[in-house]
Amino acid sequence: MNPNLKQIEHWNGPAGKLWASHCGRNEYRLEHVQRALMEFAAPEPGMDVLDIGCGCGLTTLALAEAVSPGSVTGLDVSAPMLEAARAAALEAGLEVQFVETDASIHPFRPEFDLVFSRFGVMFFADPVAAFANIRSALKPGGRLAFACWRAQADNPWTDAPYQAALDLLPPQEKQDPHAPGQFSFADGGHMKNVLTRAGFAQIRIESCDVPVNMGRNADEAAEEAMNRGALDRATADLDEPTRAKILARVREVMARYATPEGVSPPGSIWLVSARN
Ligand SMILES: C[S@@+](CC[C@H](N)C(=O)[O-])C[C@H]1O[C@@H](n2cnc3c(N)ncnc32)[C@H](O)[C@@H]1O
């Protein structure tokens, strides 16, 4: 059995459908991450690029514009998100290939100059085996460049609403910090160890602080916070009155970060690169 089955079901279930229906909102939320990651990854015209966990494909399209006349392939396990990605490519009139497959076991050939990912590599059950497989997609000397979240505590966009709701949530099980999920690479030492064991060289890990655009106003930002990360999971089985109480508190928290341009609490990511 594929050890990533639970994640594959997750990204094809309600979570994947929610992401697929919120593509535009997601790009707005991650605008600053995208800018920092593109600068860090530095795709160049003529390159052949693989976008792992490409989701709704907007990173894939940005890469296609940057590397033209090179090629870009987006890869993901989520059928609903890939459907949104194909529609976006059609609308943009850009030639990209999207493949529905699990990056940890896909039979790659060494055909890419750059393997890129924005938050698509934190969900592998066996990260060492997955990254070793991903490495096989790189040409000799090719480069891996990705972004992943640092610890939840370093990300007030999700931690501040979570802390505000904590006493209203059911008792939270202690999570394995390295288990597949949003924060599985929060520990930079662990991540470096995974990449080293997967055979990567010249590993570079940079911390980068970025605002996260949660919404144009506190109401929109509170709704976004309820649908993301820790709070989404923790509130899934709660009754409506409790959810309403939590939403009111989350709105209050988000209002503290409001500016005339929108609600953008701080976030913090790792920018990671390595060579084959
Ligand atoms: C947090 S989302 C990020 C999506 C997109 N890169 C973005 O930034 O908007 C994580 C993505 O990784 C994909 N994913 C998870 N496990 C995967 C795997 N084993 N192989 C390929 N994609 C995977 C999910 O389906 C999802 O689209």
Side-chain angles (χ1 to χ4, degrees), residues 2 4 7-8 10-12 16 19 23 26-27 29-30 33-34 37 51-60 75-79 81-82 99 101-105 116-125 130 134 149 182 228:
N2 183 337
N4 292 325
Q7 285 294 328
I8 295 172
H10 173 78
W11 293 105
N12 280 284
W19 274 74
C23 292
N26 192 44
E27 285 313 297
R29 190 170 64 94
L30 299 178
V33 171
Q34 177 67 358
L37 176 60
D51 185 5
I52 302 246
C54 65
C56 303
L58 299 184
T59 50
T60 326
L75 181 158
D76 205 285
V77 289
S78 169
M81 289 165 83
L82 285 173
V99 185
T101 187
D102 179 344
S104 69
I105 52 171
F116 174 101
S117 185
R118 188 181 77 184
F119 302 137
V121 291
M122 300 98 87
F123 307 98
F124 306 128
I134 288 169
W149 293 112
Q182 193 175 22
R228 295 281 159 204

Side-chain angles (χ1 to χ4, degrees), residues 95-166:
E95 275 277 319
V96 288
Q97 214 201 336
F98 289 108
V99 185
E100 184 181 335
T101 187
D102 179 344
S104 69
I105 52 171
H106 183 77
F108 291 114
R109 284 183 295 123
E111 57 188 338
F112 297 102
D113 301 291
L114 174 68
V115 170
F116 174 101
S117 185
R118 188 181 77 184
F119 302 137
V121 291
M122 300 98 87
F123 307 98
F124 306 128
D126 182 343
V128 174
F131 273 101
N133 190 53
I134 288 169
R135 192 167 67 82
S136 73
L138 282 168
K139 295 177 186 171
R143 194 157 45 91
L144 170 73
F146 68 86
C148 58
W149 293 112
R150 296 188 62 209
Q152 179 172 320
D154 296 324
N155 279 285
W157 65 272
T158 184
D159 194 50
Y162 179 76
Q163 297 301 339
L166 206 51

Side-chain angles (χ1 to χ4, degrees), residues 176-243:
D176 169 0
H178 301 158
Q182 193 175 22
F183 297 110
S184 68
F185 282 154
D187 172 353
H190 165 67
M191 179 167 49
K192 189 167 185 180
N193 185 30
V194 165
L195 294 174
T196 306
R197 288 170 60 205
F200 280 100
Q202 297 179 42
I203 299 163
R204 193 173 124 208
I205 301 177
E206 286 181 15
S207 166
C208 173
D209 294 335
V210 278
V212 178
N213 299 333
M214 295 298 283
R216 283 163 300 181
N217 53 51
D219 288 326
E220 218 176 86
E223 193 203 323
E224 187 71 14
M226 293 292 283
N227 285 330
R228 295 281 159 204
L231 210 46
D232 178 36
R233 270 192 314 278
T235 58
D237 299 325
L238 293 180
D239 57 44
E240 255 327 297
T242 314
R243 275 183 68 86

